[in-house]
Amino acid sequence: MLGTMMNYPLTLAQILEHAHCIHGDKQVHSLLPNGRLHTYNYDTLYLRVKQLANAITTLGGRPGDRVATFASNTYQHLELCCAVPYAGAIIHPLNVRLAPAQLAKIVAEADDKLIFVDGACAEQFSQLQHKIDCKHVIFFNIDTRQNQNLGNLSIEYEQFLSEADDDYTSDIQDENWAMALCYTSGTDGEPKGVLYTHRSMFLHTLAVNQADVFGLTELDVVMPLVPMFHAMGWGLPYASMFAGADIVFANANHERIVDLIAETGVTVAAGVPTVWTKLLPELRERKQDISSLQRLIVGGEPMPSTLIEVYEEELGVEVRHAWGMTEMSPTGTFSTLRSANQHLSDTEKWKIKAMQGRPISGVQIRLANENRTELPWDGMTIGELQVKSPWTARSYYKNEPTPEHFTADGWLRTGDLATIDAEGYMQIVDRAKAIIRSGGESISPVALENVLLKHPSIKDAAVIGISDEKWGERPLAIVVLSPQKTENISEILKQHLATGFPKFWIPDKFVVVDEIPKTGVGKTDKHAIMELITASQKGELL
Ligand code: AMP
């Protein structure tokens, strides 16, 4: 027998309407590329979102169309993340840090019909523009000089908006309709699209606002230092709007973050550990009053217990360490302390917080081995982490689920190797996929290896991540030279890679060896390589 409750579709429209109706006076602050702080409230955001939804529709945007953004975090980007799904289309924030060739491939696969570009990213975009086939390009935050150079095919955002009516009613009946597309960094060298639905994003928004997760309330002022292309800024903008919290976008002006925290009274800030390592000296020597800051949400890569200690003990800011992935919208686990842990010493507590944590309500996790046998939660047994939730992908964009990524009984294979203890705390021990995380961004070793192998002087190549104080990890390449080897091989290879990858992907160091260690089945043995490199750093090899 069916229940008798309303069939109330869970859509982004409900989040926007709620923010307007209940929290209309709450504010969105954006630091603009010209250094000015722009501020308006959710009421104004709401009207502009309706205008934008009309303008997009007038320009020919239809439900289901993909609409790309090439932008940093600003109020216009937030308007797009609301208006595009509100109009039934799909918002697709592009990773501005990827190389033009990689981006062109993604735009072609996504089949983006319109693209909105931030003036702050105009230079990078100029290298991409001729490689893509997007019907319309709309620019915002451009200065007068840039405005004059726009050309006939481009449109200025404010003008685009001003020509549209603010009378628009969203009409999404099916909560399973797609609303956003985010690409992973790609473990096999090829980024994969994850297509979020209205339902999945709505439920993720509710889930992260639980007290033990982001725990946002109307009293909060939230600073997401996470780009929108990274799983919609970890869902923080939508979560803030639903809770009625103020939002503060620092854009790309990282040197102004401490000022902004003080000026706007930020209570919760979120970003990858590299951001917090980088900001630490400034926060320690600050002259500004940052006593409003209560909590950091940190994830994307491991947060060392020493850094947690500094933030909690020295700066008095609580650290909440999270694990997740683009495929999970992205939140999976949170490392908060249980009541049973409260009596522990601070050092023991920081050790627990440095683990990736327990699944948040709504998420299921398990460990499995190659034989698909489920492994015990004993804190020692290592297995592949598999997950399930209402906000986890069941397949990739334009792809059927394959056994490589999804199990027959419907779990996502994360590719992370982990342990889980009896209390449910999960700890990542390795990445089956060996992706390199540098400054919170992913670098695919396989993609670099594939291009290295195309160089005539290279017989074999492997790329691994080595730990780096500043960036977390940096790529290092190990190469075997072919007989017709050339002088200055490092420089030549750097130039060779620079044509296809962004600067931060290029390995800092190239190590020449006679042979690359292989496993029994002939695959590159990255553990043996790591040992080789460690030996070489001790002066035994080079
Ligand atoms: P992405 O989809 O780019 O967010 O990357 C997801 C991957 O980042 C995960 O599968 C993990 O390998 C890694 N990751 C995310 N959060 C953490 C964390 N707190 N500790 C260790 N690795 C993490």
Side-chain angles (χ1 to χ4, degrees):
M1 184 193 289
L2 289 178
T4 57
M5 307 310 281
M6 286 183 189
N7 189 1
Y8 181 96
L10 308 179
T11 70
L12 251 283
Q14 319 297 350
I15 295 178
L16 184 71
E17 301 284 349
H18 182 79
H20 155 65
C21 215
I22 306 299
H23 306 295
D25 61 335
K26 299 312 296 285
Q27 301 195 309
V28 180
H29 304 281
S30 310
L31 196 57
L32 300 181
N34 62 12
R36 197 170 62 81
L37 186 67
H38 174 280
T39 299
Y40 68 16
N41 62 25
Y42 284 157
D43 273 341
T44 310
L45 169 78
Y46 179 69
L47 289 179
R48 284 171 62 89
V49 164
K50 287 180 157 232
Q51 256 181 315
L52 190 51
N54 263 329
I56 290 169
T57 312
T58 311
L59 199 64
R62 287 164 310 165
D65 275 355
R66 269 72 69 208
V67 175
T69 54
F70 194 76
S72 52
N73 287 359
T74 65
Y75 68 96
Q76 298 98 331
H77 206 171
L78 178 65
E79 289 166 0
L80 286 157
C81 290
C82 295
V84 172
Y86 195 69
I90 298 164
I91 183 81
H92 175 203
L94 290 164
N95 182 343
V96 295
R97 295 181 194 147
L98 293 182
Q102 289 171 301
L103 280 165
K105 239 172 135 181
I106 289 173
V107 172
E109 185 187 84
D111 194 14
D112 295 316
K113 299 283 190 262
L114 315 177
I115 182 161
F116 288 78
V117 181
D118 185 347
C121 310
E123 212 174 303
Q124 292 127 283
F125 183 70
S126 64
Q127 294 170 36
L128 171 67
Q129 190 161 13
H130 63 277
K131 290 188 163 63
I132 60 173
D133 180 25
C134 245
K135 265 203 219 138
H136 301 284
V137 182
I138 301 111
F139 283 90
F140 52 84
N141 284 339
I142 45 170
D143 56 33
T144 331
R145 183 186 48 80
Q146 286 173 313
N147 202 352
Q148 281 161 0
N149 295 336
L150 276 188
N152 301 341
L153 294 173
S154 306
I155 305 168
E156 198 277 321
Y157 186 80
E158 285 304 324
Q159 191 178 344
F160 178 63
L161 221 66
S162 67
E163 287 163 9
D165 204 309
D166 62 15
D167 184 15
Y168 188 95
T169 308
S170 182
D171 184 30
I172 296 144
Q173 296 298 325
D174 187 348
E175 61 187 20
N176 289 306
W177 191 247
M179 54 74 59
L181 177 64
C182 284
Y183 272 75
T184 65
S185 319
T187 55
D188 51 5
E190 291 304 322
K192 292 185 281 297
V194 180
L195 195 55
Y196 304 130
T197 63
H198 279 266
R199 175 189 152 83
S200 70
M201 197 52 82
F202 187 100
L203 291 172
H204 180 264
T205 305
L206 285 183
V208 293
N209 273 347
Q210 295 172 93
D212 257 353
V213 190
F214 295 171
L216 303 183
T217 72
E218 194 266 347
L219 301 175
D220 281 311
V221 179
V222 181
M223 180 184 256
L225 296 170
V226 186
M228 294 289 195
F229 62 74
H230 201 181
M232 304 306 291
W234 295 354
L236 277 150
Y238 297 139
S240 305
M241 287 171 64
F242 221 5
D246 286 351
I247 305 178
V248 184
F249 289 127
N251 198 336
N253 302 305
H254 274 211
E255 64 290 348
R256 292 274 310 273
I257 288 173
V258 183
D259 286 341
L260 264 186
I261 294 174
E263 265 172 56
T264 59
V266 169
T267 58
V268 179
V272 294
T274 313
V275 167
W276 304 116
T277 310
K278 224 165 131 190
L279 282 176
L280 189 57
E282 212 184 318
L283 283 165
R284 275 175 158 160
E285 289 157 22
R286 74 198 176 272
K287 294 192 182 63
Q288 308 89 325
D289 175 12
I290 57 151
S291 55
S292 61
L293 187 61
Q294 295 164 13
R295 189 153 77 241
L296 300 188
I297 297 163
V298 190
E301 56 190 350
M303 178 74 173
S305 63
T306 44
L307 199 55
I308 299 177
E309 175 180 342
V310 173
Y311 270 93
E312 295 210 335
E313 194 167 62
E314 230 181 273
L315 300 176
V317 180
E318 182 199 349
V319 176
R320 290 202 184 166
H321 180 202
W323 167 91
M325 50 200 310
T326 304
E327 289 89 333
M328 298 191 77
S329 307
T331 317
T333 62
F334 248 73
S335 206
T336 37
L337 297 173
R338 298 179 63 219
S339 52
N341 306 136
Q342 299 302 329
H343 69 282
L344 297 174
S345 69
D346 285 345
T347 312
E348 284 170 309
K349 285 181 183 167
W350 292 319
K351 232 170 116 187
I352 295 176
K353 287 185 166 202
M355 294 169 91
Q356 279 66 26
R358 306 197 311 150
I360 67 168
S361 305
V363 170
Q364 283 177 270
I365 62 173
R366 72 180 185 189
L367 288 180
N369 64 14
E370 318 79 78
N371 306 323
R372 301 189 192 123
T373 308
E374 210 175 320
L375 301 171
W377 291 22
D378 57 11
M380 288 182 323
T381 310
I382 297 172
E384 184 193 41
L385 182 67
Q386 301 182 348
V387 295
K388 219 179 192 186
S389 81
W391 47 89
T392 296
R394 68 175 155 76
S395 69
Y396 289 102
Y397 177 62
K398 290 192 174 167
N399 276 290
E400 286 305 314
T402 59
E404 190 193 346
H405 301 295
F406 300 92
T407 66
D409 58 347
W411 292 66
L412 170 77
R413 302 182 59 187
T414 66
D416 284 331
L417 300 177
T419 59
I420 306 176
D421 70 16
E423 291 181 310
Y425 283 97
M426 183 271 289
Q427 184 157 30
I428 303 280
V429 293
D430 203 349
R431 294 186 196 118
K433 49 200 183 188
I435 202 91
I436 298 166
R437 303 284 290 183
S438 188
E441 297 289 327
S442 297
I443 297 174
S444 165
V446 181
L448 287 168
E449 285 161 13
N450 287 343
V451 175
L452 277 174
L453 287 168
K454 287 187 184 148
H455 195 277
S457 299
I458 298 299
K459 219 167 107 192
D460 202 356
V463 175
I464 56 163
I466 51 164
S467 63
D468 182 275
E469 235 173 62
K470 185 165 172 201
W471 299 108
E473 274 187 322
R474 290 292 305 144
L476 179 143
I478 298 101
V479 292
V480 179
L481 298 182
S482 63
Q484 55 286 58
K485 58 183 170 199
T486 356
E487 296 300 316
N488 275 339
I489 193 68
S490 295
E491 271 324 302
I492 290 170
L493 293 177
K494 280 183 185 173
Q495 280 169 23
H496 174 64
L497 292 172
T499 56
F501 299 106
K503 212 167 146 213
F504 78 93
W505 275 49
I506 312 298
D508 298 325
K509 227 172 151 191
F510 291 79
V511 178
V512 179
V513 293
D514 289 333
E515 201 181 334
I516 288 182
K518 306 279 175 184
T519 64
V521 287
K523 288 191 190 183
T524 300
D525 187 342
K526 297 219 169 171
H527 284 290
I529 293 174
M530 193 55 93
E531 278 169 24
L532 207 71
I533 296 303
T534 313
S536 79
Q537 282 170 342
K538 286 184 191 147
E540 289 168 34
L541 187 79
L542 295 176

